[in-house]
Amino acid sequence: MNKSTIQLSVIALILVVVQVLVLNRICLFGVAVPLAFIYVILRLPLTLSKEWVFTISFLIGLVIDIFSDTGGVNALSCVIMSALRHPVLHLYFPREDEHTELIPSIASLGLMIYFKYALTLTTIYCILAFSLETLSLFNPWHLIECIVASSVLTTALLIGIDSLTLPRREKRL
């Protein structure tokens, strides 16, 4: 195991515990739910095989489902989101040769590309999760509010988490 694998494993464990114990109980203004655990799926290396990405995404979603009593909504949403990582990244970062050994982050992609990447995948996740959770269009404006507010809040949270995990530069005199 290399350093980045251990670091991502520790981050995954921390974020899943924080999501289950703290963030699942937060709903700002009755619409915005922070979803920090999807950071792990966004941060998986692009060189990792699709089978491993799907397995990791499914397991993370399943753990959240078990503790949130959501019946597979998060697991399905995580797997679909992980399947769309490469196409979304190619949408904003089309050069294949420059990201062969890339772990998506602010440091490797730049702030704007990472912001678009995180916002798009977060919005996809929120559309899937909230639509599957409600299974009706009885109140479509509330559903749209939840999707938009949760996407914006989660993207801001993901950028904050990623900026905390940036490697520190040495101070020079």
Side-chain angles (χ1 to χ4, degrees):
M1 263 194 211
N2 59 11
K3 182 181 176 184
S4 64
T5 305
I6 294 171
Q7 181 184 14
L8 191 60
S9 300
V10 169
I11 290 171
L13 182 66
I14 291 169
L15 288 179
V16 167
V17 168
V18 167
Q19 183 71 42
V20 167
L21 296 178
V22 178
L23 297 179
N24 278 351
R25 290 165 174 61
I26 296 174
C27 187
L28 297 178
F29 308 111
V31 292
V33 178
L35 305 163
F37 69 95
I38 65 173
Y39 174 75
V40 177
I41 299 168
L42 295 179
R43 189 70 191 256
L44 290 173
L46 295 174
T47 55
L48 196 61
S49 71
K50 288 184 180 187
E51 293 83 12
W52 276 108
V53 172
F54 292 161
T55 303
I56 292 168
S57 300
F58 176 75
L59 291 174
I60 289 172
L62 184 65
V63 168
I64 298 297
D65 281 331
I66 289 169
F67 289 104
S68 303
D69 195 29
T70 51
V73 169
N74 291 303
L76 178 63
S77 300
C78 285
V79 170
I80 292 173
M81 184 185 74
S82 69
L84 296 174
R85 282 179 350 126
H86 278 285
V88 168
L89 189 60
H90 286 294
L91 181 67
Y92 301 120
F93 198 79
R95 296 169 296 229
E96 177 72 35
D97 58 326
E98 292 190 23
H99 67 272
T100 55
E101 294 295 324
L102 184 70
I103 296 176
S105 67
I106 293 173
S108 62
L109 296 174
L111 180 61
M112 282 312 296
I113 292 175
Y114 184 77
F115 173 76
K116 291 183 226 178
Y117 168 72
L119 181 63
T120 304
L121 287 176
T122 301
T123 303
I124 290 168
Y125 176 86
C126 289
I127 289 170
L128 291 167
F130 289 120
S131 298
L132 289 170
E133 195 171 325
T134 59
L135 281 180
S136 80
L137 294 175
F138 179 70
N139 193 351
W141 294 116
H142 182 70
L143 179 64
I144 291 170
E145 286 176 341
C146 289
I147 291 169
V148 170
S150 295
S151 296
V152 170
L153 178 64
T154 300
T155 302
L157 183 63
L158 296 177
I159 289 175
I161 292 169
D162 197 66
S163 59
L164 288 175
T165 61
L166 282 174
R168 302 286 181 227
R169 294 191 176 111
E170 293 180 14
K171 292 182 181 179
R172 296 186 183 225
L173 297 174

